[in-house]
Amino acid sequence: METHEAYKTRTYDLSGLKGISDKTLEMHFKLYDGYVKQTNLLNEKIAAILKDGKIDQEETPAYSELTRRLGFEYNGMVLHEHYFGNLKKGADPEPAKGAGFRQACEASFGDWKTWRTDFVGVGKMRGVGWAICYQDPSTRRVSNHWITLHEVGNVSGFVPLLVMDVWEHAFLLDYAPADRAKYIDAFFANVDWEAIDRRLVAAGSSRTTRAA
Ligand SMILES: [Fe+2]
């Protein structure tokens, strides 16, 4: 039987971004590495409990706590991979007219500016979490969502297109906590719009998760 290996921490070449310092990125990569390690550790501990093929009554509290933490650690790992994966050096401030992601935003929000206003508005919401533009694979509609911590508010089966970390650790070395808007401007100066286009659900895609 094939067994899956532990998750591996990915690396990203992002030094030299506009308005997001290398120091911030270094610290952020370490935090991300922590989520990968914690995800692996949880899986190991759960596997150890399951090793004898049963969950003993005295194991239930530990098993339950470990399992509850999966949502936090898995999403902490995966969302950081999306976040770093949608940044690049020398990015354009907005996607080209006619680009797939831009067209999807225009179809769902009427125009690009309205989509952007909504996404930035989500990013400025008070609290610790993420702003994510998701695509519904069955309708291809895009919508912007607030995620509390890493796991509350993600829509099951939807595809994350643009992922913005708005935890304070994402910008605290560069901006004051009250200046999140400046960080959001910096984020938009570094988005890899081509990478976002590659995440789009293809028309007629078999990646639909439910009947349209
Ligand atoms: Fe983060």
Side-chain angles (χ1 to χ4, degrees):
M1 191 180 73
E2 188 198 345
T3 54
H4 289 114
E5 284 178 24
Y7 286 99
K8 290 189 178 70
T9 303
R10 300 180 189 185
T11 54
Y12 300 88
D13 176 19
L14 292 177
S15 65
L17 293 184
K18 289 176 222 148
I20 299 175
S21 67
D22 290 358
K23 216 169 146 193
T24 290
L25 288 166
E26 257 167 57
M27 184 269 305
H28 213 163
F29 291 146
K30 276 190 196 132
L31 284 172
Y32 154 61
D33 180 55
Y35 286 107
V36 177
K37 290 196 164 83
Q38 285 297 317
T39 298
N40 288 330
L41 192 62
L42 288 177
N43 281 332
E44 278 170 30
K45 288 182 170 178
I46 290 167
I49 290 173
L50 293 172
K51 205 169 180 191
D52 61 0
K54 54 189 171 44
I55 301 158
D56 297 326
Q57 205 178 342
E58 69 271 17
E59 289 173 325
T60 301
Y63 171 81
S64 304
E65 177 55 21
L66 291 167
T67 300
R68 277 193 237 293
R69 284 175 52 202
L70 287 176
F72 183 79
E73 304 294 354
Y74 260 91
N75 281 294
M77 173 175 70
V78 168
L79 291 182
H80 279 105
E81 288 168 357
H82 278 88
Y83 173 72
F84 297 131
N86 61 211
L87 294 173
K88 76 164 190 181
K89 278 170 282 190
D92 295 320
E94 56 180 49
K97 290 201 169 73
F101 175 64
R102 187 174 182 131
Q103 284 187 335
C105 292
E106 288 165 354
S108 301
F109 285 82
D111 56 63
W112 171 253
K113 196 167 163 277
T114 305
W115 170 84
R116 196 186 188 284
T117 299
D118 187 55
F119 188 84
V120 170
V122 173
K124 286 181 181 168
M125 281 169 59
R126 292 171 63 79
V128 176
W130 300 76
I132 301 182
C133 179
Y134 269 111
Q135 187 171 37
D136 178 347
S138 54
T139 64
R140 303 182 72 229
R141 180 187 177 130
V142 298
S143 47
N144 298 319
H145 298 259
W146 169 261
I147 311 306
T148 299
L149 298 177
H150 302 307
E151 73 276 40
V152 182
N154 292 295
V155 187
S156 181
F158 276 28
V159 177
L161 300 179
L162 182 65
V163 174
M164 178 169 70
D165 193 340
V166 290
W167 283 56
E168 282 180 0
H169 67 237
F171 61 90
L172 203 57
L173 298 178
D174 302 324
Y175 307 99
D179 285 338
R180 197 195 283 186
K182 288 185 186 165
Y183 158 70
I184 293 173
D185 283 344
F187 173 82
F188 267 91
N190 297 290
V191 173
D192 183 348
W193 300 109
E194 289 81 20
I196 310 301
D197 272 1
R198 289 194 293 272
R199 293 174 179 173
L200 282 167
V201 177
S205 166
S206 58
R207 285 166 67 195
T208 50
T209 54
R210 60 187 207 283

